[in-house]
Amino acid sequence: MHTDRFITVQGFLEQFRQQHLHRQEKPFCFVLGAGASRMSKIPTGGELAMDWLRDLHRDLDFTGQSMETWATEENLGIPKFDPKQIATFYSEIYERRFHDSPESGYAYLEDVMRDKEPSYGYSVLAYLLSETQHKIVITTNFDNLVADALSIHSKVFPLVVGHDSLAHYARVELRRPLIAKVHGGLGFAPKSTRGELGCLTDGWCKALQRIFERCSPIVIGYDGNDGSLMTLLDNMPEASIDNLRWCFYSPGGKPEEDHSRV
């Protein structure tokens, strides 16, 4: 995939409106990453990785070094580790932290997402999912914020696909909203290790390819660090995805500079 051009929020909204009104055969779907849940006080992948790195430093540093000095490729056993790009090492740090107790890893994730409430953005998303033709959410997140928002702001009950064995239920033709959790959901052994995030199952690949061929993706809060969903997007023929829009934060009004750091 290639970045053709940058557009403003206002430009994006007008393009959304035009496609919504005049191309009803081409609905949008929403691809959500950890950044979409940050306003709901759920840590991003990079923030979680930093917490686990602090735990490792506390448990494994016998020399009294600062974490910044101690956190090296050699001490962590993580090839090419770069503390400035910690989010990209989410899986490696997770494995190092919870390798001897996977259940503790699941419990940690459940705890940080407990009692979190959908932010304003999720209420807008709930309206679109329940009241328009744009009914599909694909997410790498484990939380239940999309379903919670639908229960709060609508009377529509979504189809939540949170396990690989259910991927064939992620269809394009829908009577109600679909939430496709490609990395699993809480309570179903969510995927966080390198092996788990390295690729999608055949079931997910087929289901998502059909969705992306039918719907225009709007990507929100997802930086593509996993090797599964991002690989699928990269490997799809460019012409098969129409009007992909990838949102990123550029508060200073210099999108080229901000984009280069994503």
Side-chain angles (χ1 to χ4, degrees):
M1 295 184 300
H2 303 284
T3 301
D4 293 325
R5 60 193 177 96
F6 299 100
I7 60 172
T8 64
V9 172
Q10 291 77 14
F12 163 74
L13 292 174
E14 179 58 23
Q15 290 185 11
F16 183 100
R17 189 179 75 89
Q18 290 292 332
Q19 184 163 330
H20 168 76
L21 292 174
H22 304 302
R23 296 188 63 191
Q24 294 194 7
E25 85 288 351
K26 192 70 175 180
F28 289 99
C29 66
F30 303 91
V31 180
L32 304 185
S37 298
R38 188 64 187 83
M39 290 298 291
S40 295
K41 300 181 181 179
I42 294 179
T44 64
E47 290 170 333
L48 289 172
M50 180 59 74
D51 287 344
W52 299 330
L53 186 62
R54 293 190 186 100
D55 290 344
L56 291 170
H57 174 241
R58 177 200 63 213
D59 295 347
L60 302 177
D61 174 28
F62 295 95
T63 61
Q65 301 177 72
S66 67
M67 188 183 74
E68 291 73 19
T69 302
W70 175 83
T72 63
E73 175 181 350
E74 293 73 22
N75 287 330
L76 289 169
I78 299 176
K80 300 181 180 179
F81 177 75
D82 181 357
K84 296 180 180 179
Q85 301 289 332
I86 193 167
T88 65
F89 295 93
Y90 169 93
S91 295
E92 290 89 339
I93 296 172
Y94 177 90
E95 286 183 39
R96 192 79 171 89
R97 173 66 179 83
F98 298 110
H99 70 280
D100 56 347
S101 180
E103 288 295 331
S104 295
Y106 304 151
Y108 188 102
L109 294 171
E110 290 177 7
D111 185 63
V112 298
M113 297 178 195
R114 183 177 293 115
D115 300 326
K116 298 301 188 291
E117 297 182 356
S119 63
Y120 170 75
Y122 278 103
S123 66
V124 177
L125 181 59
Y127 171 80
L128 292 171
L129 294 172
S130 61
E131 302 296 332
T132 73
Q133 68 268 33
H134 319 296
K135 294 188 176 299
I136 299 177
V137 169
I138 299 162
T139 179
T140 58
N141 298 340
F142 309 135
D143 61 62
N144 297 312
L145 294 176
V146 179
D148 290 345
L150 280 164
S151 69
I152 294 169
H153 300 289
S154 78
K155 297 180 180 179
V156 179
F157 185 78
L159 172 64
V160 181
V161 179
H163 193 273
D164 292 349
S165 62
L166 304 174
H168 60 282
Y169 288 105
R171 299 185 296 270
V172 175
E173 300 297 337
L174 299 162
R175 294 187 298 274
R176 53 196 175 103
L178 165 69
I179 304 171
K181 295 186 171 187
V182 297
H183 290 169
L186 296 179
F188 293 94
K191 300 177 182 180
S192 287
T193 66
R194 283 172 294 178
E196 294 169 335
L197 297 183
C199 62
L200 294 170
T201 63
D202 288 342
W204 272 126
C205 286
K206 292 176 181 177
L208 295 179
Q209 285 171 350
R210 288 193 295 267
I211 291 172
F212 289 136
E213 288 168 356
R214 169 68 187 282
C215 305
S216 295
I218 297 175
V219 184
I220 304 171
Y222 173 62
D223 57 11
N225 283 325
D226 65 309
S228 51
L229 178 58
M230 192 65 216
T231 299
L232 174 70
L233 287 168
D234 272 335
N235 290 337
M236 288 188 68
E238 191 165 339
S240 67
I241 301 181
D242 182 33
N243 270 352
L244 182 148
R245 294 291 180 260
W246 200 299
C247 303
F248 70 98
Y249 190 46
S250 182
K254 297 180 179 180
E256 292 86 356
E257 293 182 14
D258 291 327
H259 184 266
S260 69
R261 293 192 289 269
V262 174

